[in-house]
Amino acid sequence: MAINLRSPSAEIREQRLGTITAWDGPASRLATESAFSRGGCGPGCGGKGQRICELESPFTQGSTCSEQIAESQASNVRDAVLVQHSPIGCAAGHINSNAFFRNGLLRRGLAPRNVTGLSTNLLERDMVYGGAEKLRATIRAAAQRHQPKAVFVATSCATGIIGDDVESVVRDCEEELGLPVVAMYCEGFKSKHWSSGFDALQHGVLRHVVKPEPGPRRDNLVNIIVLWGSDVFTPMLAELGLEANNILTVASVEEIARASEAVASATFCYSVGGYLGAALEQQYGVQEIKAPQPYGFDGTDAWLRALGAATGREELAEAYIAREHARVRPQIERLRERLKGVRGYVAMGAAYAHGVIGVLRELGIEVPGSLVFHHDPVYDSHDARQDSLGHMIDTYGDVEHFSISNRQPYQFYNLLKRSDPDFIIIRHGGLAGLASRLGVPAIALGDASTAIGYQGMIDLGDEIVDALAQRKFHQDLAGHTSLPYKQWWLEQTDPYLLARQAAATQAAE
Amino acid sequence: MAITPLKTRNSGAAPLVPDIAEEGPIEQVRYACALGAMQTVASIPRAIAITHCGPGCADKQCGALAFNNAYQGGGWGGLGVAPSTNATQREVIFGGEDRLRELITHTLDLMEADLFVVLTGCIPDLIGDDVPAVVREFQARGAPVVHAGTGGFRGNNYFGHEVVTRAIIDQFAGPYDGPREAGLVNLWSPIPYQDPFWRGDLVELKRLLEGIGLRVNVLFGPGSAGVAEWRAIPRAQFNLVLSPWLGLATAQHLERQYGQPFLHIAVPPIGGRQTSEFLRQVAGFAGVPEAPAAAFIAAEERDYYGYIEAFSEFYSQYRWGLPARFAAVGDAATTLALSTFAVRQLGLMPACVVVTDNTPAEHRDAVRAAFRSLDHDVSIEPVFAEDSYAVHAAIRAADFGRKPPLIFGTTWERDLAKELRGFILEVGFPASYEVVLSRGYAGYRGALTLIERIYTTAISRSA
């Protein structure tokens, strides 16, 4: 279905893609249940009303919201300023975003500096009289103080409920200030999954920043939709005679603006980059790479071949693939020897997890279970070649305990007990500490580029070797800690028991 | 040798930036919202916050306060354990009371804790959920649950801290008209998590107060006995408020509620002079036996000045330049404590003080007065501002003389310190470039640690 860029806001993921946040079973079953979305047949196949049944639990711990995602990304655009239209608490996220920005700059070889973000600081009387004028004043202050190339505006639960007319203010300010003022409609309560925040930002960028009338097509420029990771794509694409336009995080406004002139778009994770990639193709004919993600031998080969085909560089791609295989294979063999019999657990965003599980399997590591924080049955291209879950299963086999949960520590306890891993690989905060208390070392994959491509297999393997050595710290702790859950829950083997009980009660009623 | 009193003079720059109106925009936040007081709950051993709010609120507050702020750890069970309704469209449209009832029921069933505090975010406070009524249903069944209205638009986490404190006192400790225990004191001092050094400071303050013969309800942190101490609040002989304004409302409330007197000392003590003076004042108020208290103070001073004596060789002979003037940015308690120590113990001069905690209007004059009398010969006019743009303008406008400035500040002053070629110690929220476990700067021992930190940083330029 087409993306509607005339609407001020992106449609949330659960409506657009059928996104779910609570499910448990083998990965192969999830792939089957998702097949309806790609035109294949699943149980109860057919119709727009089709969706995957969820295991909604009556007990939940704090998750994350769309606003946090939109904020963390927009505040990290190098020459833009973020305005958060909210009470002050939403801006507490700055502390986290600042850590990402400083480290993100460092990874790209730039000097670390603080993010620039302003909160409209809405108070009780603004809840009564509205906050639109405060928003106007804050956008002006942001522009006058910092002369940014763009101002991003994030909405909040509070402004969504009181009904501030953000769109009018943003339109006025854009005209008055003569620079893009980008509204991101990302009220936390509107979507049950934070990944809708990626779409809110990308939608705004498409409407306000990307050149609506692009100059001549740049035949060597490829948009790579990334997060804060090290720039592994520039050297990789250089082998094909291509230039990587790394967007949106840590990019400049100009780099984002020229996205409509690129020859193609690709990403390291369809959960993150699917919306922008599909919309750039739909709107500006920028070809979106439709292939498995660039992880492991098989995925990286296919990704590079698709990129070669899209840019007319098939021979360069084949030569590079052959060189890299020859270089990397002996090192992978060495790592496989070293990691024999090791069990790993992957906990992260959906499509990214599919890639990382593949890398672990390339390294000969057993992956009995994995936790993804949500699942998109399909991405915005609706193209089966982007089916990252299917590719993972076809290439590397099933994952027995494939669980979906939007970051619930109480479930994570039983999930880890069930899979009994030697280490975990994790993104997003709040769960690694629990693994530590259970004596399991965690690799907090702050650099999203670590596992990408051929070299990524070696780098991740080295990280795992280091993490396994750190077991001593965690096992020592495990002997001296306790958990804030009742004994009956700690003995419970089904992480989704509460959801199943609730469903049974509802059915009985 | 008598010290000749010098004429009182204003050593620092006059405020070049007027106090920033609290309703203006805030760039680079220096506090969380009222819901951030979920970390006040997390600082009580075996207490759990139940948050009724949007899906990202609890994560933002505890992530900011407990993770990228000195990596303090999330409290009982760790980061991310706090139950949350993760309110969606459904709750916004139909109300969230049923969902909250369901969440509390399952929390009590699943989680191991001695006290649960239900905190609200913007959503229930805007749509008008009757949270007290829901919580009262559980209280009626004897469950240890209290409620606190902490919607983010109501105020910051200093405000929330007092709301939560009050909620536990009123709904959990409850009424009391029995006898009071002589020598038992309730301590109201640093704000947990917002102040990255609260744990270490409380441990030192407890040690000192016990040293002069008192028993302490320290209430928060590793030195606290948890809810037993909160239940014992009404039995204490008196309340000790160790902060220019935070905790004062709580002490006044306790005075009304239980007829408990309180002692208010505005400047948290750092260093030998301050700490000895503080202990004598408390001992006098409490009426503890004089001789053992005096002996304790003498023994502490002997230790303290032994170290200071050794340090003096560095301080007087280090020839490659040490800072002479400082800026202090942070909450009223921290800036006042550090400035007093820097002026009185180290002989440094304040060039700029910015108070960033949105000190309530009725307390600002008292804070100003305290800064005007940092010592008999040193005073400074503090600037009240929370917007970092204004904060940094004030620091840039200050006169640091010809030596590199010393900045007591936050991560937001990192780049500025480079720009001014100065030294920075992150002493307040956010402190993303500090890892703090048990370190504190209060008392005798904290002062020694602080001196180590200041001068290790200052000599690092040639390292």
Side-chain angles (χ1 to χ4, degrees):
Chain A
M1 202 168 34
I3 290 168
N4 179 11
L5 291 178
R6 277 205 293 275
S7 164
S9 58
E11 198 180 1
I12 56 170
R13 275 198 187 196
E14 43 269 56
Q15 281 166 16
R16 230 174 55 240
L17 308 176
T19 300
I20 58 167
T21 57
W23 190 91
D24 190 40
S28 54
R29 184 152 65 81
L30 184 64
T32 309
E33 289 188 14
S34 305
F36 72 91
S37 59
R38 294 180 184 83
C41 235
C45 183
K48 187 172 155 58
Q50 173 68 273
R51 62 192 288 272
I52 302 168
C53 281
E54 290 194 74
L55 287 164
E56 228 178 299
S57 175
F59 178 77
T60 47
Q61 290 159 304
S63 184
T64 297
C65 67
S66 308
E67 201 268 0
Q68 168 77 21
I69 294 295
E71 176 223 310
S72 69
Q73 306 256 294
S75 66
N76 279 222
V77 174
R78 297 207 305 272
D79 45 5
V81 170
L82 171 71
V83 168
Q84 283 170 290
H85 188 36
S86 63
I88 196 66
C90 298
H94 267 189
I95 314 307
N96 190 44
S97 303
N98 193 46
F100 276 96
F101 188 49
R102 296 185 71 100
N103 287 291
L105 287 167
L106 198 62
R107 282 193 196 122
R108 304 275 173 92
L110 302 165
R113 62 184 165 85
N114 287 326
V115 294
T116 311
L118 290 83
S119 165
T120 54
N121 184 26
L122 298 179
L123 301 171
E124 192 140 16
R125 68 176 162 278
D126 304 311
M127 297 299 111
V128 179
Y129 299 108
E133 288 317 305
K134 266 191 164 176
L135 175 59
R136 196 185 304 276
T138 305
I139 295 172
R140 281 183 186 144
Q144 283 157 9
R145 289 174 178 186
H146 303 289
Q147 291 85 47
K149 296 274 167 44
V151 176
F152 287 95
V153 176
T155 59
S156 61
C157 293
T159 59
I161 292 173
I162 64 173
D164 272 354
D165 184 0
V166 170
E167 193 62 18
S168 295
V169 175
V170 161
R171 237 185 352 245
D172 291 353
C173 287
E174 194 162 60
E175 203 166 301
E176 172 190 322
L177 301 169
L179 80 172
V181 180
V182 186
M184 304 184 290
Y185 296 94
C186 51
E187 297 87 348
F189 65 82
K190 285 219 172 132
S191 175
K192 67 185 173 187
H193 197 257
W194 62 73
S195 57
S196 284
F198 292 119
D199 312 336
L201 165 67
Q202 293 171 12
H203 190 83
V205 155
L206 285 157
R207 278 167 55 85
H208 295 267
V209 181
V210 170
K211 287 180 196 167
E213 285 161 16
R217 179 82 57 213
R218 302 191 194 195
D219 287 336
N220 66 338
L221 188 69
V222 177
N223 302 318
I224 306 285
I225 303 158
V226 293
L227 293 175
W228 300 265
S230 305
D231 181 11
V232 298
F233 289 103
T234 293
M236 197 189 288
L237 266 61
E239 298 280 349
L240 275 62
L242 295 168
E243 185 192 339
N245 188 35
N246 289 310
I247 52 174
L248 303 162
T249 321
V250 204
S252 70
V253 170
E254 172 51 29
E255 285 163 350
I256 299 170
R258 66 179 180 170
S260 52
E261 294 171 353
V263 62
S265 301
T267 184
F268 78 108
C269 172
Y270 290 123
S271 297
V272 170
Y275 193 82
L276 185 56
L280 284 170
E281 177 169 297
Q282 174 193 308
Q283 207 72 8
Y284 301 104
V286 179
Q287 307 169 75
E288 189 191 14
I289 298 306
K290 298 179 185 78
Q293 302 172 124
Y295 299 90
F297 284 109
D298 196 76
T300 308
D301 292 352
W303 190 84
L304 284 166
R305 286 191 176 113
L307 192 58
T311 57
R313 285 160 167 85
E314 291 91 340
E315 284 176 21
L316 286 170
E318 289 304 331
Y320 175 56
I321 290 167
R323 275 200 308 281
E324 283 293 272
H325 276 247
R327 179 182 75 85
V328 165
R329 284 218 182 262
Q331 301 189 58
I332 299 295
E333 282 313 312
R334 220 173 30 246
L335 279 165
R336 286 178 73 98
E337 198 54 40
R338 195 151 180 195
L339 295 168
K340 202 175 276 177
V342 169
R343 290 158 71 88
Y345 193 92
V346 174
M348 54 185 68
Y352 193 48
H354 306 153
V356 171
I357 291 168
V359 176
L360 294 190
R361 295 243 167 110
E362 292 275 13
L363 293 168
I365 292 167
E366 289 175 51
V367 187
S370 177
L371 164 67
V372 296
F373 299 132
H374 78 289
H375 172 69
D376 302 317
V378 70
Y379 306 112
D380 282 287
S381 68
H382 289 257
D383 191 302
R385 289 170 291 176
Q386 287 188 343
D387 178 9
S388 51
L389 178 65
H391 176 259
M392 177 194 86
I393 296 165
D394 293 347
T395 314
Y396 301 105
D398 205 355
V399 175
E400 187 188 353
H401 298 297
F402 200 81
S403 310
I404 306 174
S405 166
N406 59 354
R407 229 197 51 172
Q408 299 293 313
Y410 82 102
Q411 280 181 325
F412 196 49
Y413 173 85
N414 319 70
L415 291 171
L416 286 182
K417 285 280 176 196
R418 190 165 71 178
S419 288
D420 188 25
D422 297 305
F423 70 94
I424 66 168
I425 303 185
I426 193 159
R427 285 176 62 77
H428 293 276
L431 292 179
L434 180 78
S436 184
R437 284 162 165 88
L438 297 177
V440 179
I443 298 170
L445 213 52
D447 187 339
S449 301
T450 306
I452 291 168
Y454 304 110
Q455 183 62 35
M457 292 185 275
I458 299 168
D459 292 347
L460 191 63
D462 286 342
E463 289 269 352
I464 293 164
V465 170
D466 292 344
L468 290 173
Q470 285 171 7
R471 264 182 301 200
K472 290 173 186 172
F473 172 88
H474 304 282
Q475 285 169 353
D476 179 42
L477 170 67
H480 299 89
T481 189
S482 52
L483 295 170
Y485 305 107
K486 293 256 168 73
Q487 198 55 36
W488 76 265
W489 179 254
L490 297 178
E491 286 162 6
Q492 181 52 240
T493 51
D494 179 8
Y496 291 82
L497 175 81
L498 297 177
R500 287 189 227 278
Q501 283 177 341
T505 312
Q506 259 177 3
E509 283 166 4
Chain B
M1 192 179 71
I3 297 171
T4 312
L6 298 172
K7 198 176 145 201
T8 300
R9 60 173 182 260
N10 186 338
S11 68
L16 295 166
V17 181
D19 293 353
I20 305 303
E22 74 176 90
E23 65 267 17
I26 291 182
E27 189 166 318
Q28 298 176 332
V29 283
R30 291 166 186 277
Y31 46 64
C33 70
L35 182 67
M38 63 182 285
Q39 290 310 114
T40 294
V41 180
S43 67
I44 300 169
R46 289 179 56 86
I48 294 273
I50 299 175
T51 57
H52 182 22
C53 54
C57 304
D59 184 43
K60 281 203 178 209
Q61 302 310 304
C62 75
L65 287 163
F67 193 73
N68 288 305
N69 182 39
Y71 312 95
Q72 301 174 49
W76 170 228
L79 272 175
V81 301
S84 174
T85 50
N86 294 336
T88 62
Q89 299 261 34
R90 188 177 51 202
E91 285 73 36
V92 169
I93 295 166
F94 301 108
E97 291 168 20
D98 288 345
R99 173 75 184 105
L100 176 62
R101 191 174 290 114
E102 174 184 71
L103 182 68
I104 297 174
T105 303
H106 286 280
T107 300
L108 293 173
D109 188 37
L110 198 79
M111 296 202 83
E112 187 66 53
D114 299 330
L115 172 67
F116 298 91
V117 180
V118 176
L119 292 94
T120 51
C122 294
I123 292 175
D125 284 12
L126 282 173
I127 64 175
D129 280 350
D130 192 350
V131 171
V134 174
V135 170
R136 275 196 297 270
E137 294 168 18
F138 293 93
Q139 289 173 339
R141 283 175 238 156
V145 192
V146 304
H147 59 84
T150 49
F153 57 84
R154 296 190 191 279
N156 62 20
N157 54 322
Y158 294 91
F159 165 82
H161 176 69
E162 300 244 45
V163 171
V164 164
T165 302
R166 178 84 66 93
I168 302 173
I169 291 167
D170 290 350
Q171 300 168 49
F172 185 72
Y176 179 79
D177 55 7
R180 286 209 291 272
E181 286 178 31
L184 180 63
V185 57
N186 302 319
L187 176 63
W188 305 100
S189 197
I191 174 166
Y193 286 94
Q194 170 78 20
D195 177 348
F197 303 99
W198 65 280
R199 285 195 184 103
D201 284 354
L202 281 178
V203 166
E204 171 72 349
L205 291 169
K206 184 179 178 184
R207 185 185 75 85
L208 295 173
L209 292 169
E210 286 177 348
I212 59 166
L214 293 167
R215 279 163 293 113
V216 191
N217 282 332
V218 70
L219 304 170
F220 306 101
S224 163
V227 297
E229 284 190 0
W230 287 80
R231 288 206 191 278
I233 284 175
R235 294 205 302 271
Q237 179 191 341
F238 68 105
N239 289 291
L240 173 59
V241 178
L242 203 47
S243 152
W245 67 271
L246 189 74
L248 206 48
T250 301
Q252 285 160 348
H253 178 69
L254 288 166
E255 186 177 51
R256 282 193 300 273
Q257 206 71 4
Y258 304 124
Q260 236 168 8
F262 67 89
L263 172 62
H264 179 206
I265 295 175
V267 188
I270 304 177
R273 277 177 62 186
Q274 294 327 110
T275 308
S276 297
E277 205 175 286
F278 155 73
L279 289 175
R280 285 189 202 103
Q281 201 180 342
V282 176
F285 185 87
V288 294
E290 271 174 43
F296 174 76
I297 292 170
E300 287 291 315
E301 286 191 345
R302 207 160 40 242
D303 280 358
Y304 176 80
Y305 284 104
Y307 287 110
I308 292 295
E309 191 175 75
F311 165 74
S312 70
E313 293 177 24
F314 160 84
Y315 203 40
S316 55
Q317 290 190 57
Y318 190 78
R319 57 184 77 178
W320 293 285
L322 294 173
R325 298 188 198 180
F326 68 90
V329 185
D331 59 27
T334 304
T335 49
L336 201 46
L338 288 169
S339 298
T340 304
F341 171 72
V343 167
R344 294 193 191 178
Q345 177 69 71
L346 297 173
L348 305 182
M349 295 294 263
C352 176
V353 169
V354 191
V355 176
T356 59
D357 58 7
N358 193 10
T359 304
E362 64 270 27
H363 296 300
R364 290 195 177 187
D365 281 343
V367 173
R368 283 192 190 96
F371 277 108
R372 281 178 193 145
S373 56
L374 280 178
D375 208 350
H376 62 89
D377 58 345
V378 177
S379 78
I380 188 160
E381 284 297 320
V383 177
F384 291 89
E386 299 133 64
D387 177 10
S388 294
Y389 189 74
V391 171
H392 292 170
I395 297 173
R396 283 196 184 94
D399 177 10
F400 290 101
R402 52 184 289 279
K403 288 187 175 170
L406 171 65
I407 299 176
F408 296 111
T410 72
T411 304
W412 299 131
E413 280 69 64
R414 275 276 154 198
D415 300 342
L416 186 65
K418 276 186 201 148
E419 178 191 318
L420 301 175
R421 298 187 52 75
F423 306 108
I424 177 163
L425 252 66
E426 296 189 9
V427 295
F429 175 85
S432 300
Y433 290 96
E434 282 281 352
V435 176
V436 179
L437 283 78
S438 63
R439 187 153 36 104
Y441 294 151
Y444 300 105
R445 292 182 181 174
L448 299 176
T449 307
L450 179 56
I451 290 173
E452 290 170 353
R453 285 291 291 154
I454 293 173
Y455 292 100
T456 299
T457 306
I459 63 174
S460 67
R461 181 150 285 177
S462 63

